[in-house]
Structure formats: C-alpha cells, structure tokens
Amino acid sequence: MSSPENQPQDAAVELNFNDTELTLGLPGAAKTGSKREFSHTLEASSTSAKSPAQKAQVVGWPPVRASRKSVMKKCKYVKVAVDGAPYLRKVDLEMYQSYDQLLSSLETMFTCLTIWNDLNQKNCERGKNNNGGEYVPTYEDKDGDWMMVGDVPWNMFVESCKRIRLMMSSEEATTGFGARRGSSE
Amino acid sequence: MNYFPDEVLEHVFDYVTSHRDRNAVSLVCKSWYRVERCSRQRVFIGNCYSISPERVIQRFPGLKSLTLKGKPHFADFNLVPHEWGGYVSPWIEALAKSRVGLEELKLKRMVVSDDSLELLSYSFPNFKSLVLVSCEGFTTDGLAAIAANCRLLRDLDLQENEIDDHRGQWLNCFPDSCTSLVSLNIACLKGDINLGALERLVARSPNLKSLKLNRAVPLDTLQRILMRTPQLTDLGTGSFVDEPDSEAYFKLKHTISKCRSITSLCGFLEVSPHCLPAVYPLCSNLTSLNLSYAVGLQGSDLMKLIRHCVKLQRLWILDSIGDDGLCVVACTCKDLQELRVFPSLPFEAGPSPVTERGLVAISVGCPKLHSLLYFCQQMTNAALITVAKNCPNFIRFRLCTLDPTKPDADTMQPLDEGFGAIVQSCRRLRRLSMSGLLTDRVFLYIGMYAEQLEMLSVAFAGESDKGMLYVLNGCKKIRKLEIRDSPFGNMALLNDVGKYETMRSLWMSSCEVTLGACKTLARKMPRLNVEIMNENEVEFNLDDAQKVDRMYLYRSLTGKRKDAPDFVWTL
C-alpha cells in the first residue's frame, strides 16, 4: 500500500521509525518509549505564562504520596476501530495528555495508515494520498453521536469518549473539513 | 544521687516509656545513664544518618525494638531524587553481627533490599514484628524469606510500600507451624496472591486481630476468611465487587454481621457501591474508617455509610464526600478526633467538592478534633478563625488548597489571619502545614504563638527572609522545618546557625539560598551535614552565588555519609 516516494508526516507527529515497523505485535507492545515522549510533549507544550492548571502541575503538588496518586488515576480504556482493519484495538485515554499524543500512538498502532491530523493541518500536505488513504479520527460520545476528534478540550474529550473510529475518507470529503480549529487544550 | 540500688531504678524506669522521657532520664547523672541505657528496649532514630548503628548497639545492648526513618518527608512528593539514600542494610548487618536480640523493626521511607530482609529473617530467632512504611527496594522474594524463617512472626505490616511483586508463592512460605500471626497487612501488594495459601494461613492463626488484604483478594475469598476470623478487630478488604444478587454477596452479608469485634475498617480498593450495605452492621462499632482508596464510591454512598458510624474517632476519606458529606460527618461522628480528606481527582479534572464550608461544619460538630489533613478547593480566613475558636485542641493541622497560592476565596486576601488564629488558639499545636496565599505576616504569628510547634511545612509562601526568621527565632521547639518554593535566602539561613543543632533537619528547595551561604554554614557547624542536590548529575557549578536547587541539612554524629550518590554534595 505504501509508495517509495512517500514522505511520512513526521513533522506532524514525533514518530520513532523503529516503532512503525509492521509487526503482529501484541497490544501495547508499541508503547515502549511512549512515556518519554509524554514528558517531552508536556514540556514542549507548556507555555511560559503559568495558568492555574499548569501551576498545579508543579512537581510534588498537591502533596500526596505516589501510592495515592496512582490510585486516583482512572483507567479509561476505549475501543479503537479502523475502517478496513480486521480487528480492533484498545487504548487507555488516561495515558495521554493531548490529542497529539493519542493520535501519534494510534498511528504507531495501526502502522499501515496515516491519520489525517486536523490539528496540525499546516504540516500536512492536503490532498496527498499517503499509504493508500486518509483517515479521519472520530469518536462516539456519551450521547451516542459520532463526533470529529479535536473539537473540544482534551479533558472533556476523555470524559465523553466511548469509542474511537478512524474513518476512511475520500479526498473530496477531506477538503470539506476546512477551517483550522483552535487549540485542542 | 544514688539512693536506690540499680534494680530499683530499673524497675522505676520500666514505667518511663516515651523516648523523650527516657532520653531525659539518661541525662540526670552517670548512674541513671548507665541503668537507663542497659534497660532500654525500644529505640527511636528519627534520622538514620544522625548516628551509626554500631554506636546505637553499643549504647543499648538490650535493644529489642528499633524504629528508623530515612528519607526526608518531601521524598513522599517526588522532591528528593531517587537513589538519595536511606539504606537499611548497614543497620541490619550491624545488628546481625552483634548480640542484640532484635524482635521488632519499624522502618519509614527507607530503601530495603531482599538481601537485608533475608539477613533479618535468619539472624534473630525472636524476631516478631516487621513494619515497613513508604519503603522501597524489595520484592516479594524478601517477604518470602521473612515468612519462611521468622518462626515467631506476629506482625507483618506493609503500608504504602513500593514492592516489586513477583507474583510468586511467598504466602506459601509460611510454614504450617507458623500460628503466631496477629497482624498481616498486604494491601499495597499489586499482584495476585495465592488465595488458598492465604486462607490456610488465616485458618491457622487463632490470634489474628488485624488483616488488610490487597486488590487481588475477591469478595468470596473475603467471606471464607471472615468465617475463620470472628475475633478480627481490624479489617481491610481487597476487592469488594460482586453482583448484588450473587450467592457470595449474600453469604458475605451474613458472615460480616457475625464479626462483632471489628472496630477498624479500611480497603475497598475496588468497590461496587451496591455491595457496600454489607458492612452497615459493622458501622455502629467502628472507631476507625479509612475509605481513602475507595475511588469507586460516590458522595452519596459515603454519606449513607457514615450515618451509621456514630462512634467514629478516626476518618480518612476522599474529597468526593463533598461539603454536604462532611456535614453528615459533623452530625454523626461526635467523637471524631482525626480527619483526613484526600483529593480524588487530578487537578485538570475539575474543582474539588470540598471547601471551607465542610471544615467549618466539622469544627462545629466535632469539638474533640485534634488531627486534621484537609485537601480543599478553597479556604477563607473567616472559616479558619471559626475553626480555631471551635477546636482549640489541634495537635496536627495540615491544610492544602489544591491551588497552592490561592487567596481567601471571599476577600481575596492572604490567609495569614486565618492561620494566625489557628496558632493563637491551639496552644498544643505540634505540627502545621499551610497553603494558600501567605505573606510574612503568617510567620510572625507562628513565631509569636506556636510555642509547641515541632514540625512546619511551607510551600509557595512568604515574601522575604523575615518570614523564616520569625519561625527560627520564635519557635523554640521546632525540630523539622521543610520549605519549598519560598523566597527565603541567605540572611535567614545564616542568622542563627546554632539553632540547627537543636533541630532534626531543615529542608529548603527552590528557595533563594546560595551555594556560598551553604558552604559558610557547613564550615561554621561541623556537626551538621549540609547536603546539596543538583537537578542533573553534571559537575556542580562552583559559583558561590549560584542558587541551590535543594538543600537538606541535619545534625549528625557520624559526619559526611559514605553512601551519598553523585548528585548529592555534602559540603
């Protein structure tokens, strides 16, 4: 499905090419190293102005022991379906802090695809057919409606997302997803 | 001054049990020192680096029970780099070499290896009690050694440790002849355990009074265990999940209702709210309830439960209880002495449902309250002033606003007056931890009024060196001072260097203290270890004007420690 002259959109996502090798790996096998990317992204995305949310993400605040912190952390596993893939995967949304991280992790999981990342539109060459098709990330929310990933703040998304589907879209339909959205945070 | 023979002195000293009192006794005269040291069985070492194990053993040959603390308190919150230290192995090795008949060991914030546990397990034939709190470095293999070799084991109490769980069969290592268990706490183990081995162990432990299970123990196993242990006084459930119409649940309800001795309940690491009514019959006898890990319970579930708990003296709960739930506590738990309200959600997930309103209600309804740990969304001076008036008996008062510099929610003023009221009203206050917007003024109040204060935790507070000076000059009994992210610097640090020998330790991180000042302090006070910790392991920048990331100083008779890692520089 891939053509030799393909340029993977590595400006859009931080992708370790070793991880993208197609394997029949077990679920979660691709996650090695994702923790480090985590913190890189956290640091990279934090702005200099300290909003209350970031102030409190200071190390060691609120002062609770690690054993309590790990209990607080909720697991939020959702199914991920990709059009054309023979089986579904599951991801824990609590593992990620932003849409970028989630989508790059999904891309790693489903290595034969490229996810059209609306949030980094300027880095994508639009209309380009990478690896056989554009995929649009969508999700089913609490009301049962299918929504486009990226519209609401990340935390709201985690709260309301029940399952994810990467929909195959044609080029014409892609151009319809026009205007850039604002920050995902 | 030796009117009495030694045996009489010794007999009298038997009644003197607190460490401080015994320390005081030993200072009276040489013969009292001698009698005291030979008869002392329980020794408490608040900082494992303050003295060498050999000296402890030499002074107290009759040592039977040892308590050791390692890392500084802020290590709990990831402020102390990993590998800092706090190793117990030199202690266990020294004790093993000696003739000390060790029976009890309690460790807090220490690094414990499997080898040490193994050495411990076969070096002391009378070893009875192992309590590990917030420790790390060992695996279930170490526990297997303890189980296998400590024939008289009475207590195995693991509280909030980081244990590498090899999911092995360590419970099977308790021999059939081991029937002496009184207290078993495995709640912090993350992996599966052999349920059959657990049941058999419990079945042959007629003296078992305290049992705290981990997440891997399901409801039906709990039921079978409780059938065997009607004498249990302290129960920590594991997984409390089942269908409400299941047979296991039905049996459990019946079994629990027979456990009339249970006065302390905790656990619920996994819980279905609809299973909770099974424990209602226990509630009216409970004096201690810890639901601080029960993430699966909503405020409404908690309120329903607590309405039954009329005798409660100690309550640890999540903030999901909300202000309304705290009002229920205030109405119901008239004997409440200790309350801890922990945060249940990460900061980004939204505001906490606990505010100053809940605390005021508690102070009105529970006048016996003396220990508080309270994580809340916001606080006001008015509320703190009211609380101070209603509860003058506080010994421990720890307040944490989730936004560390949040001002009074009504007036937008600093919380100086509120905390000032607390220290002025609570003359017996020994421990204080503050948060919210705070200026130097609050420290003025603390220095003026907090005469009994022994431990103070400061974060994101104060405006100048004056703040720290007020505390160091005013609080005569201060022993532990820990400060982070506050603008205190060299002038405050160096004002009275002798003060630090009257204290156990001082921690300052992300403050204004420079390397040069720390060097000066170290030079003037050779019996202090002044440790500087750098962010990364590169060569220390030798510029004296550079601010120091983290400084930890403590009095010590052993000098610079030999096990410090590269990133710790002892001046």
Side-chain angles (χ1 to χ4, degrees):
Chain A
M1 268 174 99
S2 60
S3 49
E5 65 270 15
N6 260 341
Q7 294 306 312
Q9 291 158 6
D10 53 354
V13 295
E14 281 180 32
L15 210 53
N16 182 341
F17 285 107
N18 289 336
D19 288 347
T20 60
E21 257 179 42
L22 191 61
T23 64
L24 290 173
L26 291 167
K31 275 208 194 139
T32 49
S34 67
K35 258 193 178 165
R36 199 173 278 163
E37 286 155 17
F38 225 33
S39 52
H40 277 339
T41 318
L42 258 178
E43 281 156 31
S45 67
S46 69
T47 59
S48 50
K50 278 198 166 172
S51 68
Q54 280 157 344
K55 226 196 278 184
Q57 275 168 18
V58 165
V59 172
W61 199 269
V64 286
R65 282 188 185 154
S67 58
R68 290 194 182 280
K69 273 214 163 106
S70 58
V71 165
M72 301 317 156
K73 198 170 171 58
K74 289 181 289 201
C75 281
K76 184 140 186 193
Y77 276 95
V78 296
K79 288 183 189 170
V80 183
V82 179
D83 288 353
Y87 52 83
L88 278 64
R89 299 294 297 269
K90 262 203 160 161
V91 290
D92 178 2
L93 293 180
E94 291 291 336
M95 290 286 305
Y96 308 105
Q97 305 279 82
S98 73
Y99 287 113
D100 287 354
Q101 289 174 12
L102 169 65
L103 294 171
S104 95
S105 177
L106 291 181
E107 188 157 353
T108 307
M109 260 190 209
F110 296 94
T111 57
C112 57
L113 317 163
T114 303
I115 301 169
W116 180 73
N117 187 343
D118 178 46
L119 302 165
N120 290 288
Q121 192 180 330
K122 64 175 191 273
N123 296 319
C124 303
E125 287 179 57
R126 298 190 48 229
K128 192 166 176 181
N129 204 13
N130 295 320
N131 294 334
E134 297 278 355
Y135 282 78
V136 176
T138 65
Y139 70 102
E140 184 185 8
D141 74 358
K142 277 182 176 166
D143 300 323
D145 299 321
W146 282 96
M147 318 286 292
M148 176 125 174
V149 168
D151 284 335
V152 298
W154 169 254
N155 292 311
M156 208 184 285
F157 164 73
V158 171
E159 176 61 26
S160 55
C161 171
K162 278 171 49 188
R163 52 191 303 160
I164 294 174
R165 181 176 157 210
L166 306 180
M167 295 174 79
M168 170 88 85
S169 74
S170 63
E171 279 190 56
E172 292 84 89
T174 323
T175 53
F177 292 98
R180 273 199 69 197
R181 280 152 192 81
S183 161
S184 63
E185 296 294 329
Chain B
M1 189 185 145
N2 198 11
Y3 304 141
F4 304 108
D6 286 357
E7 305 81 60
V8 174
L9 279 178
E10 200 179 303
H11 185 67
V12 172
F13 291 169
D14 277 349
Y15 292 95
V16 180
T17 48
S18 97
H19 305 290
R20 291 188 201 182
D21 289 343
R22 289 200 75 111
N23 291 344
V25 157
S26 68
L27 291 175
V28 168
C29 64
K30 278 203 180 120
S31 60
W32 281 38
Y33 176 91
R34 181 175 39 82
V35 173
E36 194 284 318
R37 83 172 183 88
C38 291
S39 60
R40 174 121 61 157
Q41 293 183 349
R42 318 185 72 84
V43 176
F44 171 84
I45 307 283
N47 175 3
C48 65
Y49 290 119
S50 61
I51 185 100
S52 73
E54 288 77 17
R55 268 186 87 164
V56 174
I57 293 166
Q58 191 183 39
R59 179 168 169 189
F60 302 113
L63 175 62
K64 287 203 162 63
S65 167
L66 179 64
T67 301
L68 286 172
K69 293 189 179 180
K71 298 184 200 178
H73 175 233
F74 275 176
D76 282 352
F77 318 131
N78 291 336
L79 291 180
V80 176
H82 228 253
E83 321 273 297
W84 173 83
Y87 305 103
V88 78
S89 45
W91 289 84
I92 296 186
E93 282 157 17
L95 286 162
K97 277 204 205 103
S98 75
R99 282 156 47 173
V100 166
L102 193 70
E103 294 184 14
E104 298 175 4
L105 185 63
K106 178 168 177 180
L107 305 176
K108 187 168 185 180
R109 272 182 230 111
M110 294 198 75
V111 179
V112 182
S113 67
D114 283 344
D115 287 343
S116 293
L117 288 176
E118 201 182 325
L119 181 60
L120 177 70
S121 74
Y122 58 72
S123 301
F124 308 104
N126 285 336
F127 192 76
K128 295 193 175 71
S129 171
L130 181 63
V131 180
L132 301 176
V133 181
S134 291
C135 296
E136 55 171 351
F138 59 106
T139 78
T140 44
D141 295 346
L143 298 179
I146 297 286
N149 301 327
C150 300
R151 299 183 176 270
L152 298 177
L153 195 67
R154 198 186 59 208
D155 308 312
L156 180 59
D157 188 355
L158 308 169
Q159 297 176 29
E160 296 182 301
N161 301 291
E162 285 294 316
I163 305 176
D164 208 353
D165 198 329
H166 290 171
R167 288 166 179 74
Q169 302 297 319
W170 72 277
L171 273 178
N172 282 335
C173 295
F174 281 103
D176 289 342
S177 54
C178 176
T179 59
S180 45
L181 271 182
V182 171
S183 159
L184 178 65
N185 176 0
I186 57 170
C188 64
L189 283 176
K190 298 197 188 77
D192 292 332
I193 54 170
N194 185 322
L195 299 176
L198 175 65
E199 288 185 51
R200 286 191 298 276
L201 178 62
V202 167
R204 63 178 187 277
S205 304
N207 299 321
L208 194 66
K209 286 275 194 265
S210 171
L211 179 63
K212 294 180 184 170
L213 305 168
N214 77 338
R215 191 185 286 266
V217 180
L219 198 113
D220 55 336
T221 307
L222 174 65
Q223 186 268 328
R224 282 194 295 277
I225 286 176
L226 289 177
M227 290 271 285
R228 310 276 206 167
T229 56
Q231 78 285 2
L232 214 60
T233 59
D234 186 0
L235 173 66
T237 70
S239 170
F240 211 74
V241 172
D242 211 327
E243 296 306 313
D245 53 0
S246 75
E247 195 185 331
Y249 180 65
F250 179 75
K251 277 193 196 166
L252 178 69
K253 277 204 294 191
H254 181 67
T255 305
I256 282 189
S257 65
K258 298 237 205 74
C259 297
R260 306 307 293 160
S261 309
I262 293 181
T263 55
S264 171
L265 186 63
C266 64
F268 303 96
L269 309 170
E270 277 173 10
V271 52
S272 307
H274 51 247
C275 289
L276 207 56
V279 302
Y280 287 176
L282 300 176
C283 290
S284 54
N285 282 335
L286 288 181
T287 55
S288 170
L289 178 63
N290 179 355
L291 295 173
S292 62
Y293 284 96
V295 193
L297 298 177
Q298 310 286 334
S300 50
D301 306 313
L302 296 171
M303 283 193 261
K304 274 196 234 145
L305 181 71
I306 289 186
R307 281 188 217 279
H308 301 269
C309 302
V310 290
K311 285 197 192 151
L312 217 54
Q313 294 172 17
R314 186 166 83 144
L315 176 64
W316 291 22
I317 200 117
L318 288 171
D319 63 5
S320 43
I321 193 173
D323 286 332
D324 290 340
L326 290 172
C327 291
V328 172
V329 173
C331 291
T332 313
C333 311
K334 295 309 188 182
D335 289 335
L336 197 68
Q337 296 173 24
E338 178 183 336
L339 174 67
R340 295 197 191 188
V341 181
F342 292 97
S344 62
L345 296 168
F347 188 88
E348 316 82 55
S352 157
V354 164
T355 70
E356 76 277 7
R357 183 166 71 87
L359 185 58
V360 170
I362 293 280
S363 74
V364 171
C366 311
K368 293 186 193 172
L369 195 66
H370 59 60
S371 290
L372 180 76
L373 171 61
Y374 197 77
F375 285 83
C376 55
Q377 179 64 23
Q378 63 185 45
M379 188 47 57
T380 65
N381 285 310
L384 285 172
I385 291 168
T386 305
V387 168
K389 208 160 40 150
N390 294 336
C391 293
N393 297 319
F394 274 117
I395 300 173
R396 296 170 205 96
F397 190 89
R398 294 192 280 167
L399 192 92
C400 180
T401 53
L402 292 170
D403 177 353
T405 54
K406 198 171 165 78
D408 180 317
D410 291 338
T411 66
M412 305 308 285
Q413 292 297 303
L415 289 176
D416 300 334
E417 299 305 313
F419 281 104
I422 294 283
V423 293
Q424 193 175 1
S425 163
C426 305
R427 309 319 301 253
R428 277 176 275 181
L429 192 69
R430 296 206 303 254
R431 182 171 182 182
L432 177 65
S433 174
M434 316 182 287
S435 66
L437 185 64
L438 295 164
T439 71
D440 284 344
R441 199 160 180 81
V442 73
F443 298 103
L444 171 69
Y445 292 142
I446 291 173
M448 268 169 69
Y449 297 114
E451 289 168 356
Q452 301 299 319
L453 194 67
E454 296 177 9
M455 181 170 179
L456 178 65
S457 306
V458 175
F460 303 96
E463 302 158 300
S464 76
D465 282 335
K466 287 207 289 222
M468 188 168 161
L469 282 173
Y470 290 138
V471 172
L472 290 174
N473 292 335
C475 298
K476 300 296 174 207
K477 294 203 177 172
I478 194 94
R479 292 190 299 116
K480 288 180 281 183
L481 181 55
E482 47 185 26
I483 304 171
R484 64 167 290 187
D485 294 273
S486 301
F488 305 137
N490 299 338
M491 202 260 284
L493 182 71
L494 296 176
N495 177 259
D496 177 8
V497 295
K499 174 82 176 173
Y500 304 125
E501 269 194 9
T502 70
M503 294 166 57
R504 185 187 298 172
S505 65
L506 168 67
W507 168 282
M508 293 181 77
S509 60
S510 304
C511 297
E512 303 289 312
V513 171
T514 68
L515 182 58
C518 294
K519 283 184 181 171
T520 304
L521 177 55
R523 205 172 45 241
K524 287 188 177 177
M525 302 296 295
R527 288 193 302 191
L528 294 180
N529 279 357
V530 182
E531 293 187 9
I532 308 293
M533 278 165 262
N534 231 22
E535 268 306 317
N536 29 25
E537 288 178 35
V538 295
E539 267 289 307
F540 283 96
N541 183 340
L542 294 175
D543 176 12
D544 280 1
Q546 186 200 17
K547 282 192 213 160
V548 149
D549 281 334
R550 281 169 274 221
M551 180 203 72
Y552 180 54
L553 67 83
Y554 52 90
R555 64 183 174 193
S556 173
L557 295 175
T558 61
K560 178 173 164 169
R561 60 185 172 109
K562 298 182 184 62
D563 62 3
D566 289 336
F567 58 80
V568 172
W569 181 13
T570 306
L571 297 174

